[in-house]
Amino acid sequence: MALNEPSWVDAMHEELNQFEKLRVWQLVELTKGKKSLDTRWVFRNKQDDSGVIVRNNARLVVCGFRQIEGLDYTEVYALVERLEAICIFLAYASYMGFTAPRAWYATLTEHLLEHGYTRGTIDQTLFIKKVDADLIVVQIYVDDIIFGSTSTELCK
């Protein structure tokens, strides 16, 4: 039914275009002796606060329930980190006395501070720089950096 509705087809194309843009996957020949996992489209309506549908959202998901333990069960892609895995890693790291080098974070922090950014007082991973009437904000989260500015030049 979704294939007969232009708004759902557009939503599916948007999802596939995001895969291509973000280089999420690469089409390859199936390795001999391996079976493919099915995919399914999940359709949802995005609504505003008053319940009015503002857009259709389509997600292509892998049917991981078809995996067989011992055969392909370890071939898993997690879109987001699992809290349990992080807790286990941190507990093990603490128990074993791991050092957690954050050299990249220290280097980036030093670079930002040397270039006129100020560090947030509440959130130490937030950096702000004001240039005349413009503002640029940099947020560091684990291995991601999000930034935005009122100036195209500052973004560059």
Side-chain angles (χ1 to χ4, degrees), residues 55-145:
R55 68 188 281 266
N56 292 332
N57 189 21
R59 291 287 175 250
L60 184 63
V61 296
V62 174
C63 302
F65 57 80
R66 285 200 46 228
Q67 292 174 296
I68 300 169
E69 190 168 0
L71 177 64
D72 58 6
Y73 194 74
T74 59
E75 297 174 15
V76 175
Y77 170 74
L79 183 60
V80 295
E81 296 85 9
R82 293 192 55 183
L83 183 57
E84 297 88 353
I86 293 170
C87 289
I88 291 169
F89 171 80
L90 292 175
Y92 185 72
S94 174
Y95 175 76
M96 296 300 291
F98 282 15
T99 57
R102 293 176 15 143
W104 70 270
Y105 180 78
T107 302
L108 179 58
T109 298
E110 184 179 313
H111 173 81
L112 291 171
L113 294 174
E114 285 176 358
H115 287 86
Y117 288 79
T118 57
R119 184 181 245 168
T121 53
I122 296 172
D123 185 348
Q124 296 285 304
T125 64
L126 180 70
F127 297 86
I128 303 166
K129 182 177 181 179
K130 189 168 184 173
V131 178
D132 300 323
D134 289 312
L135 187 71
I136 184 166
V137 178
V138 177
Q139 176 72 57
I140 304 168
Y141 177 74
V142 188
D143 62 350
D144 290 328
I145 301 170

Side-chain angles (χ1 to χ4, degrees), residues 1-14 41-46 55-59:
M1 290 175 22
L3 291 175
N4 295 325
E5 179 64 40
S7 61
W8 285 119
V9 173
D10 290 343
M12 289 186 281
H13 282 289
E14 184 179 327
W41 284 102
V42 176
F43 301 101
R44 290 213 171 96
N45 292 318
K46 293 290 183 175
R55 68 188 281 266
N56 292 332
N57 189 21
R59 291 287 175 250

